[in-house]
Amino acid sequence: DADVTQTPRNRITKTGKRIMLECSQTKGHDRMYWYRQDPGLGLRLIYYSFDVKDINKGEISDGYSVSRQAQAKFSLSLESAIPNQTALYFCATSDSARSAAGANVLTFGAGSRLTVL
Amino acid sequence: SQQGEEDPQALSIQEGENATMNCSYKTSINNLQWYRQNSGRGLVHLILIRSNEREKHSGRLRVTLDTSKKSSSLLITASRAADTASYFCATGWDNQGGKLIFGQGTELSVKP
């Protein structure tokens, strides 16, 4: 089984629908992240969590919410999906052993491709 | 806003040639990482270089860091078709709460 599992892998939905992307990990890592990837824009950070009680907004959090249900689970929700949220979404994890900025090595899931019509 | 910017955006070479990708960043950093992404897949960590290091090697990979120019380069020697992928630099810096910010990536195509 993968260390970081994302479900669903592919989802097509309609404008206005509520969508939840789920992420679970077996790495035992404290830190979890949600990124969005669009062609030509690289990866942009949506939300991140350093432990169950710690949730932080990233660069592009508008239109998204998250829930850290347990150390191993971090879900991303789109309350009312819109077409410009069509993208490839990645969950990633890292441990907290390295405190220096930029030293967190991320383990990524395989991605969830979301299409909003 | 993006912290790192890769150059070139796309690179096409023949097998056996070397591939060089560059990353420039805006803010002084503590560490810089390089990741690889096969088409549509999750990113995989390649190498981390600290701000007090100038060069680091891992197999056919060589990473350099020039903090005075705020730039890093990734060199892949003797490239193979299997190296075809997108390569991203990622940085983090103080007062950013441990976030890792990615550049836009370089798409490398290695032709057999």
Side-chain angles (χ1 to χ4, degrees), chain B residues 64-76:
Chain B
T64 61
L65 180 64
D66 187 333
T67 54
S68 66
K69 295 181 179 178
K70 292 186 171 62
S71 68
S72 174
S73 66
L74 170 66
L75 168 68
I76 303 175

Side-chain angles (χ1 to χ4, degrees), chain B residues 17 36 38 60-61 76-87 108-110:
Chain B
E17 294 180 340
R36 166 193 168 126
N38 286 57
R60 293 184 295 113
L61 305 181
I76 303 175
T77 59
S79 62
R80 306 166 182 168
D83 294 327
T84 294
S86 293
Y87 293 83
L108 173 66
S109 174
V110 182

Side-chain angles (χ1 to χ4, degrees), chain B residues 6-97:
Chain B
E6 279 93 342
D7 171 58
Q9 290 189 351
L11 179 62
S12 182
I13 61 174
Q14 296 293 133
E15 252 187 341
E17 294 180 340
N18 295 342
T20 300
M21 289 157 272
N22 303 295
C23 169
S24 60
Y25 55 89
K26 300 173 184 175
T27 307
S28 294
I29 59 169
N30 293 2
N31 298 277
L32 185 144
Q33 302 183 35
W34 284 91
Y35 287 77
R36 166 193 168 126
Q37 182 185 32
N38 286 57
S39 181
R41 310 285 290 273
L43 281 72
V44 176
H45 173 77
L46 294 176
I47 198 165
L48 180 152
I49 187 165
R50 294 180 171 77
S51 59
N52 61 356
E53 297 177 310
R54 292 296 169 259
E55 189 171 309
K56 200 162 183 178
H57 297 254
S58 177
R60 293 184 295 113
L61 305 181
R62 174 180 159 232
V63 169
T64 61
L65 180 64
D66 187 333
T67 54
S68 66
K69 295 181 179 178
K70 292 186 171 62
S71 68
S72 174
S73 66
L74 170 66
L75 168 68
I76 303 175
T77 59
S79 62
R80 306 166 182 168
D83 294 327
T84 294
S86 293
Y87 293 83
F88 295 86
C89 66
T91 55
W93 62 102
D94 291 336
N95 303 319
Q96 290 299 311

Side-chain angles (χ1 to χ4, degrees), chain A residues 31 33 35 37 40-45 48 50 57 59 88 90 98 100-106 108-110 113, chain B residues 1-2 30-31 33 35 37 40-43 45 48 88 91-94 96-104:
Chain A
R31 302 180 174 189
Y33 311 78
Y35 285 90
Q37 185 175 33
L41 293 178
L43 277 78
R44 292 180 291 169
L45 184 62
Y48 61 106
F50 281 0
K57 293 183 178 180
E59 303 168 85
L88 184 56
F90 287 104
R98 302 185 186 189
N104 302 308
V105 173
L106 302 187
F108 280 83
R113 186 171 296 281
Chain B
S1 62
Q2 298 291 97
N30 293 2
N31 298 277
Q33 302 183 35
Y35 287 77
Q37 182 185 32
R41 310 285 290 273
L43 281 72
H45 173 77
L48 180 152
F88 295 86
T91 55
W93 62 102
D94 291 336
Q96 290 299 311
K99 293 183 295 188
L100 198 60
I101 304 298
F102 287 80
Q104 297 167 326

Side-chain angles (χ1 to χ4, degrees), chain A residues 7-73:
Chain A
T7 56
R9 292 293 314 281
N10 289 284
R11 181 72 183 269
I12 300 174
T13 190
K14 294 182 179 180
T15 297
K17 293 291 187 181
R18 183 178 188 275
I19 295 297
M20 179 180 286
L21 305 180
E22 298 186 350
C23 177
S24 63
Q25 53 117 344
T26 58
K27 299 283 289 183
H29 286 167
D30 294 326
R31 302 180 174 189
M32 298 187 75
Y33 311 78
W34 276 104
Y35 285 90
R36 165 180 173 159
Q37 185 175 33
D38 298 274
L41 293 178
L43 277 78
R44 292 180 291 169
L45 184 62
I46 306 172
Y47 271 96
Y48 61 106
S49 170
F50 281 0
D51 66 40
V52 174
K53 296 181 181 179
D54 177 75
I55 303 288
N56 303 281
K57 293 183 178 180
E59 303 168 85
I60 54 163
S61 59
D62 288 348
Y64 301 95
S65 63
V66 290
S67 174
R68 185 83 184 265
Q69 301 96 323
Q71 186 201 36
K73 296 184 183 294

